[in-house]
Structure formats: C-alpha cells, structure tokens
Amino acid sequence: MQNPPSLGLIDQFHRKINYLRLSITDRCDFRCVYCMSDDMQFLPRDEVLSLEESLRLVKIFTSLGVTKLRVTGGEPLVRKNITWLFEGLSQIEDLKEIVLTTNGSQLAHHAHMLKTSRVKRINISLDSLDPILFKKITRTGDLDKVMLGINEAIKEGFSNLKLNTVLMKDVNDHEAIDLVNFAINKKMDISFIEEMPLGDIGHKRKDTFISNDEVLKKLQAHFNLIPTTFTSGGPARYWQIANQSTKIGFISPHSHNFCDTCNRVRVSSKGELFLCLGQEEKIELMPLLRQHLDDDWPIQKAILESMRIKPESHDFNLETNKPSVIRFMSHTGG
Ligand code: SAM
Ligand code: SF4
C-alpha cells in the first residue's frame, strides 16, 4: 500500500479536480423526454456498484483531495437503502460538501434524513408547473408529489434549494417567467440548462433547442437582473433578481462553454470514471474495486493516472442530428 501524492488530482491543463458527481443508479421513476427514450433498458443489478462500493469509492476520492460530492443518477432517491449511504457519507470528515440532484418524486419521504446527513444543497428538477405538461415531459411523473417534496424540504430548513429546468422550444419555454416567479415565492434559486445531445431519444435536439441567451433576454424584460460573480462550484453563471433572494443560473454548454474552469469528474452507476460529460474517455473502476478489496492504492493510482486523459472540453454539435455522446445523461449521472 502506498500513500497518494498530496497534490491531489490535477489534469494536464492544470485544472484541480475536487468535485465528484456520483451516479448511484441508472434507474428512474420518470422518463423525461430529453433524458431517456421511452423503452429504456436498465443495467442488471450485479453490474451496478453496491452501496458499499460507492461509499468506498467516495472515501478513495476524498483521499485524493475531492471535497465536494454530488449524489445523482438516474433518480438517486429510488435506490434501496439510500439512508444507509447518506449516513455513511455524512461521516466522511474530508467531505466538506454533500449535495444531491433529484427529480423530487421521493423527496417528501427523505427530506428529514437528508437534512440529518448534512446534505447542504438539493437541486430539484422541475420543467413545468402545469400537471398535464409535466406528465408529458416526464412521461410518468406526478407534479403533486414533486410539490410535496419541495415543501417538505423547505420545512426541513434547507436554505440552499435550487430548481433545475431544461427548457425546450415550443414545449415549455413559455413557462420560464412562471417558473422564476415560483422560485421567488419559494425563496429558491433556479437554473436553466440547455438541452444536451446525450443519448438517442425520440426527438431531434435541434428542433427543441433554445439558447440560454434567448431565455435571459426574455427574463430581463420582466425582472431586474443583476449579473453576479457568485459560483456554487458548478458551471452555472448567476444573475441576482433585484430585491429578492432568488438567483437565476444559466448552464449553457452550447452558448457559453465552461470547460476552462472544470473541476469535476463523474462516476457512473457501473463504476465508470468519466472524465468529461460530453466525451468518451473513461476508466473502469468496478473491476479494480472488486479485485482489490483490502488495498485502495490500485484504485487511487488509476484515478491519478486518469488525469492524463481528461479532455480539454466537450464537443456538442446539434447540427449532425446524432447524439454527440451515445450514452444517456441518466447513465453518466447529471
Ligand atoms: N433524476 C434526477 C433529476 O432529474 O434531477 C437526477 C439525474 S438527472 C440526469 C440530472 C439533471 O440532468 C436534471 O436536472 C435533468 O434535467 C438534466 N438532464 C437530463 N438529460 C439532459 C439533457 N439531455 N440535457 C440537459 N440536461 C439534462
Ligand atoms: Fe429521470 Fe432525472 Fe432523467 Fe428525468 S432527468 S428521466 S428524472 S434521470
């Protein structure tokens, strides 16, 4: 066994990697039209990291200088024994920030557990306030349950709640202002994410793409927006709504490439370490975890070496009508 170098994870472009996004399942109770096809096939259980393996992996990443973890999926809160995982995570001292991305459907049941597990921030995906359109976009989702989840999280005292909205042209882009007003009412932040060409889904991405610049213009006509330098450690650029606590974030992989400040890597539910959401470079960690049950060094070494192949940037192209990356967002972890 060896001690890893204390410099931590630094890639070939001198970016320090201190943020891990961990997908703990590829399964989900929704089938959002921009994320999944309607006949999604999910991984057999033995091809998914166990929760014990996931926890071990987080400890290994923190030994290499990772201090922030986002738990994601698929839908992380549909994973069985999720409480066990969060309890374990909360005990990792070097992990300074635990955050979660969820569709909110199970949040009402888990909000208290998440609060006591020192989860700092929850991002809740919400693409429509209209129950019928919400169902159409998520294919299976129930807006009432998500609303219950949001209210429960507020009751638990989470002050760092954020909505994530993927706007699609002529589908839900007309709701941008209403969604911001909803966020203001709930004293939450909201981020608009440009749709990314990940996985082969039922529509042409080009047809539904709407640029965040266009959304910003629309919002500026209604709200007094002040640009800020605020960062939550992710790729969003934020604007403060004057006289409100709500900030509006824009995650714009197409119109504003954010790769030069990239500080993160992703691990899929089958233990693939993806160096970039929009590229194919990866290292398989599951075989190493299963081969070296009592020795972390081979896994640490593989992660350290992976820094050499972290790409400089993603390369999304809406024109080709083909996904830039074959895997779905739910596979890599959003
Ligand atoms: N199920 C959880 C949820 O929906 O919040 C977590 C996983 S989901 C993959 C994470 C985020 O990715 C969500 O906010 C979702 O809207 C976003 N997302 C999924 N597919 C996307 C795509 N093709 N382009 C942009 N955002 C996408
Ligand atoms: Fe599920 Fe989240 Fe993908 Fe929607 S965006 S299908 S909720 S994983």
Side-chain angles (χ1 to χ4, degrees):
M1 257 186 252
Q2 299 191 23
N3 284 330
S6 57
L7 274 180
L9 299 173
I10 296 180
D11 77 357
Q12 53 177 330
F13 306 102
H14 312 293
R15 295 172 299 193
K16 191 175 165 56
I17 307 305
N18 54 16
Y19 180 6
L20 170 66
R21 294 189 171 210
L22 177 70
S23 169
I24 57 166
T25 178
D26 63 327
R27 290 170 193 252
C28 185
D29 49 349
F30 291 6
R31 298 283 184 278
C32 301
V33 291
Y34 50 77
C35 178
M36 292 192 177
S37 64
D38 54 4
D39 61 345
M40 283 297 283
Q41 302 295 312
F42 297 106
L43 292 167
R45 302 233 178 249
D46 62 345
E47 284 183 30
V48 173
L49 289 182
S50 69
L51 292 183
E52 287 80 359
E53 287 167 334
S54 298
L55 187 60
R56 180 179 173 209
L57 206 45
V58 175
K59 287 179 184 164
I60 292 173
F61 271 97
T62 55
S63 76
L64 297 171
V66 164
T67 54
K68 176 172 175 178
L69 172 73
R70 176 171 301 281
V71 180
T72 181
E75 175 46 41
L77 298 184
V78 300
R79 181 81 197 249
K80 258 199 199 147
N81 297 330
I82 184 75
T83 303
W84 179 88
L85 178 68
F86 276 100
E87 270 171 17
L89 294 174
S90 71
Q91 285 161 26
I92 305 176
E93 234 172 74
D94 291 336
L95 201 52
K96 301 298 175 215
E97 202 178 331
I98 307 169
V99 295
L100 168 76
T101 304
T102 174
N103 66 21
S105 69
Q106 314 294 316
L107 189 54
H109 309 299
H110 292 298
H112 181 68
M113 174 280 285
L114 294 168
K115 188 70 188 169
T116 54
S117 304
R118 67 179 185 90
V119 169
K120 189 175 164 200
R121 190 176 174 98
I122 305 181
N123 289 357
I124 305 162
S125 299
L126 183 68
D127 300 322
S128 175
L129 296 166
D130 167 0
I132 295 168
L133 184 55
F134 184 84
K135 172 79 91 195
K136 212 169 154 189
I137 295 172
T138 59
R139 292 198 184 100
T140 57
D142 177 349
L143 181 61
D144 285 347
K145 280 195 189 156
V146 177
M147 290 299 168
L148 270 180
I150 291 174
N151 291 337
E152 206 53 42
I154 293 171
K155 262 195 230 153
E156 282 298 330
F158 279 102
S159 55
N160 273 329
L161 293 172
K162 186 171 75 134
L163 299 175
N164 271 347
T165 300
V166 176
L167 286 183
M168 289 172 286
K169 203 174 195 58
D170 300 330
V171 178
N172 62 342
D173 58 326
H174 61 283
E175 285 200 55
I177 290 163
D178 290 348
L179 283 158
V180 171
N181 276 324
F182 176 81
I184 292 173
N185 264 328
K186 298 281 182 193
K187 300 201 180 325
M188 302 168 80
D189 291 337
I190 180 166
S191 277
F192 292 101
I193 310 174
E194 283 177 351
E195 186 179 350
M196 292 176 254
L198 304 172
D200 216 346
I201 41 122
H203 63 264
K204 292 181 191 159
R205 304 279 188 181
K206 203 178 152 194
D207 294 347
T208 49
F209 180 72
I210 173 162
S211 146
N212 267 343
D213 287 343
E214 199 179 326
V215 179
L216 174 62
K217 257 192 217 142
K218 195 171 180 179
L219 295 177
Q220 277 174 323
H222 278 261
F223 302 100
N224 183 2
L225 300 184
I226 305 153
T228 74
T229 53
F230 172 83
T231 169
S232 61
R237 295 168 300 125
Y238 283 95
W239 297 69
Q240 181 73 49
I241 306 180
N243 306 317
Q244 302 291 347
S245 60
T246 298
K247 290 185 284 306
I248 306 180
F250 293 95
I251 301 174
S252 316
H254 299 281
S255 51
H256 292 269
N257 187 300
F258 40 68
C259 301
D260 55 334
T261 56
C262 184
N263 59 351
R264 69 206 78 109
V265 291
R266 294 173 153 87
V267 171
S268 75
S269 55
K270 60 191 279 203
E272 299 148 301
L273 169 59
F274 285 109
L275 284 312
C276 174
L277 176 65
Q279 300 281 9
E280 305 289 358
E281 282 82 353
K282 67 169 175 176
I283 307 260
E284 301 281 353
L285 294 177
M286 185 188 272
L288 292 174
L289 282 166
R290 294 191 175 169
Q291 227 175 314
H292 302 280
L293 293 176
D294 301 315
D295 183 4
D296 290 343
W297 174 239
I299 303 133
Q300 288 168 319
K301 192 162 160 274
I303 298 169
L304 282 162
E305 284 172 2
S306 75
M307 290 297 106
R308 277 195 238 135
I309 58 162
K310 184 167 164 60
E312 188 169 14
S313 65
H314 61 240
D315 186 18
F316 293 138
N317 185 349
L318 295 172
E319 297 301 323
T320 63
N321 197 26
K322 282 199 197 121
S324 296
V325 159
I326 305 296
R327 60 183 190 274
F328 295 92
M329 182 74 141
S330 59
H331 175 155
T332 321

